[in-house]
Amino acid sequence: MSDWFSFLYHRFRERLWIKPAAISGVSLAAIFFAKSADAWGLASVAPEISVESVRTLLQVIASSMLVMAIFAVGSMVSAYASVGSSATPRAFPLIIADDVSQNALTAFIGAFLFSIVALFALENGYYDRGGRFALVSLTFIVFGVVILTFLWWVDRIARLGRLNATIDKVESATARAMKRRRKSPRLGGAKWAEPDGPSEAIYGEEIGYVQQVKMAALQSIAEKYELHIHVGALPGTFATPGRPLAYVRVSPDQLEDVKRGITAAFVVGRDRVFDQDPRFGLVVLSEIASRALSPGINDSGSAIAVIGALVRLLAFWCEPVDYEQAEGVEFDRVAVPSLKLDDLFDDAFTMIARDGARAVEVVLRLQKGLESLAVVCEAESKQIPLSHARKSIARAEKAMELSDDLEAVKSAGRFANAG
């Protein structure tokens, strides 16, 4: 259930209206809270605050906050457009979920709503002496929050949408997904094995990407009907009516109920998400590098930065698992396959090796990165980075025109044949 709430939390973070809607309710509550000060006996000790001074302060905030909110939206839209043009549209959910930008927009809208409603209440004699003092106090607090948020946000908006910042965000999101998957390699399920005997393949009706597998729901179905479920589609899998989501041995009279329950446990959407899908982050980083290497941009430096991020991520993935910190089997009736290391390497490096085959500086950095991963990976996995290094050299042989460049690449890639 916690995974489901985590999934919903990340989806809500990608909606710009959630926080402004919440702060609007808080703003209205603050206005009524100020009125309650009249009943606290605060009037006897509070200084006299004139209606005119409170009105002037609220008018200043009301007139400026609407402008700031419009400015914030314009800046955020520009940053989002920059991400789509310079990086990849697949990184857009991470940029729109930026907490600092959302907090800035929320603060501006909340302050605007607070000042407008408070001004209306003040003009209609809603507050007495104690209420006016409480209202001024709250107004100064709102004003201080807005100023601090603005200063923090200006520093962030100067970087939001820039390519390096986007690479960092994608790397961080991928690292979090990898950390969760290393802690729970099979999503809390049992080790996957081929089903014993003939099994019924369960197909979904929706076409899209598996965004989440509700393991608790699958376990509940398996316990109810006393069966074992073999998951066939991990998060990130492109689901179609012809691709099985799971396999199960079940009696014909229970098949429809079991099928309905299993398909409901797979959340399918139009797009991939980062939460339970570490491979998606690697694909997005690879796309950023591929776009940087396109003839129209020709930005080898950004591609090299992406290679560094990919090497860090895969080196982390190849580290030995701390079995004391890893979660045990929580859903013993649901078998889930583990991620394959060669798939991760394909997602990370195939596109870069293809599109950067002509750029000697890119191929050299790729060879150095793969050499580092060959050292980090365990003995049984060492051949995967070595194979990618050899493929990169083969692509360079077909793409590079200068023999000196090709010789430098072959010299850097000697470790691939030695291994």
Side-chain angles (χ1 to χ4, degrees), residues 71-72 75-76 79 100-101 152-162:
F71 172 69
S75 300
M76 292 167 68
V100 177
S101 296
W152 190 13
W153 174 68
V154 166
D155 180 72
R156 176 61 68 91
I157 201 65
R159 298 175 176 83
L160 188 67
R162 300 297 184 266

Side-chain angles (χ1 to χ4, degrees), residues 110-169:
F112 173 72
L113 183 63
F114 171 83
S115 59
I116 289 295
V117 178
L119 189 60
F120 177 82
L122 183 69
E123 293 290 352
N124 287 273
Y126 186 62
Y127 300 105
D128 295 327
R129 181 172 177 173
R132 288 195 299 272
F133 176 76
L135 182 62
V136 168
S137 301
L138 289 172
T139 302
F140 279 119
I141 292 174
V142 169
F143 190 71
V145 169
V146 168
I147 293 298
L148 293 175
T149 302
F150 177 75
L151 294 175
W152 190 13
W153 174 68
V154 166
D155 180 72
R156 176 61 68 91
I157 201 65
R159 298 175 176 83
L160 188 67
R162 300 297 184 266
L163 189 57
N164 287 340
T166 303
I167 293 172
D168 290 342
K169 279 187 171 293

Side-chain angles (χ1 to χ4, degrees), residues 43-87:
S44 59
V45 295
E48 177 67 32
I49 305 293
S50 68
V51 173
E52 183 62 30
S53 61
V54 181
R55 179 190 301 117
T56 301
L57 184 59
L58 290 173
Q59 286 175 342
V60 170
I61 295 178
S63 59
S64 58
M65 286 303 101
L66 181 60
V67 175
M68 290 302 300
I70 295 173
F71 172 69
V73 171
S75 300
M76 292 167 68
V77 169
S78 298
Y80 301 155
S82 176
V83 170
S85 60
S86 64

Side-chain angles (χ1 to χ4, degrees), residues 262-290:
I262 290 178
T263 54
F266 286 81
V267 179
V268 178
R270 292 180 177 271
D271 303 307
R272 295 174 74 172
V273 295
F274 292 89
D275 306 348
Q276 289 190 358
D277 186 8
R279 293 182 59 183
F280 182 47
L282 299 178
V283 170
V284 172
L285 285 170
S286 187
E287 285 183 355
I288 293 173
S290 181

